[in-house]
Amino acid sequence: SQTIHQWPATLVQPVGSPLSLECTVEGTSNPNLYWYRQAAGRGLQLLFYSVGIGQISSEVPQNLSASRPQDRQFILSSKKLLLSDSGFYLCAWSVQGAYEQYFGPGTRLTVT
Amino acid sequence: SQQGEEDPQALSIQEGENATMNCSYKTSINNLQWYRQNSGRGLVHLILIRSNEREKHSGRLRVTLDTSKKSSSLLITASRAADTASYFCATDSWGYSGAGSYQLTFGKGTKLSVIP
C-alpha cells in the first residue's frame, strides 16, 4: 500500500530564517506531487505541483520554491521566511492521469 | 481563485441525525470530489462524482451533482461523533498539457460538529 510522509510535523522559525520541508511517498512510482498551504480556517491553496523529477510548476508567486530531486521526494524551501509564510503545509500525491489526491499528515509552520 | 464554496460554514448536529453540506462552483468541471479533514490532520479522500453522474453512494455518504446549477451536496446519514471534521469539495482543471496532472481547487470547507 502507498504511504506519504512529511516532516517535520511542527516547526517554529524566526523571520528571515531558511526553510526546508520534506515529503516522501512510498509504494508507488512516478506520482504527481503537490504542495498546498492552508491558512487557519481557510481552504487549501495550491503552491507547486510536479509531474516528474525536476519538473516543477508554480501556482503562486512567493518567496517559496520547490524541488523534486528523486521520483518520490518533494521538498519545499525558502531562503528567508516571512511572517505570512505561517500556516499548515500539506503534501499530496496522485497517480498520473487520476483525479484523486492523497494527503500527508501536514507540517504546522509558525514564523515568529 | 476559489472554485468551490461550501455551505454552511459550520454545522452542529446531534449524533444519529443526518448532515447535509452543499458546494457551489463557477466553471465547467470534469468531476467533483469531497474530502474530510480532522483537526490538525491531512485531508482524506471520500468520494468522487463525475460530471455525467447525478448521484453516488458510499456507505453512509450520498453525493449529488447538479451541473445545470453548478452545485453538489454531501449527505452523511446517521452521523457519529467520529464524523466531526471539516469537509471540503474540490473541483478540477487540467493543469499540465500532455501530462496527467489535475489541479484541484478547494473551497473553505464546512466544519461539522456531531454532538454525542
Side-chain angles (χ1 to χ4, degrees):
Chain A
S1 64
Q2 300 86 6
T3 56
I4 177 169
H5 305 277
Q6 287 186 245
W7 62 89
T10 60
L11 191 59
V12 180
Q13 292 283 95
V15 168
S17 65
L19 173 74
S20 181
L21 303 181
E22 189 165 343
C23 170
T24 59
V25 181
E26 296 177 353
T28 188
S29 297
N30 197 29
N32 291 329
L33 295 172
Y34 309 84
W35 277 113
Y36 291 89
R37 177 170 59 204
Q38 185 179 30
R42 303 293 299 275
L44 277 69
Q45 178 186 37
L46 179 63
L47 301 176
F48 301 95
Y49 66 94
S50 171
V51 298
I53 295 175
Q55 300 179 66
I56 308 294
S57 296
S58 173
E59 288 300 297
V60 182
Q62 59 219 331
N63 67 322
L64 299 173
S65 62
S67 62
R68 185 171 177 174
Q70 300 180 43
D71 180 46
R72 291 170 289 177
Q73 184 184 31
F74 206 21
I75 296 173
L76 183 69
S77 303
S78 174
K79 292 182 179 179
K80 289 186 178 181
L81 283 168
L82 306 173
L83 285 174
S84 59
D85 291 324
S86 292
F88 192 49
Y89 288 82
L90 288 157
C91 180
W93 72 274
S94 70
V95 173
Q96 293 274 353
Y99 295 98
E100 298 88 341
Q101 293 185 14
Y102 304 94
F103 286 78
T107 294
R108 175 77 59 192
L109 171 66
T110 303
V111 183
T112 60
Chain B
S1 61
Q2 214 85 36
Q3 166 76 311
E5 292 288 342
E6 293 89 348
D7 170 65
Q9 291 186 353
L11 180 61
S12 184
I13 60 173
Q14 296 289 329
E15 200 166 32
E17 293 180 340
N18 296 341
T20 299
M21 290 157 270
N22 302 297
C23 170
S24 60
Y25 58 92
K26 297 177 182 176
T27 62
S28 297
I29 59 172
N30 293 314
N31 57 63
L32 185 143
Q33 301 178 58
W34 285 90
Y35 289 78
R36 183 187 75 227
Q37 184 181 32
N38 289 81
S39 181
R41 310 293 292 273
L43 277 73
V44 174
H45 179 263
L46 294 176
I47 196 166
L48 178 151
I49 186 166
R50 301 189 185 282
S51 60
N52 61 355
E53 297 176 309
R54 292 297 167 258
E55 187 171 314
K56 198 164 183 179
H57 296 254
S58 177
R60 293 184 296 113
L61 305 180
R62 173 178 169 253
V63 171
T64 62
L65 179 64
D66 187 336
T67 53
S68 66
K69 295 181 180 179
K70 292 185 169 59
S71 66
S72 173
S73 67
L74 170 66
L75 169 67
I76 303 174
T77 59
S79 64
R80 306 166 181 168
D83 294 328
T84 295
S86 292
Y87 291 82
F88 296 87
C89 67
T91 54
D92 66 87
S93 60
W94 184 259
Y96 194 88
S97 177
S101 172
Y102 293 98
Q103 299 170 53
L104 297 182
T105 304
F106 289 82
K108 295 181 182 179
T110 291
K111 190 170 185 178
L112 173 65
S113 298
V114 181
I115 303 166

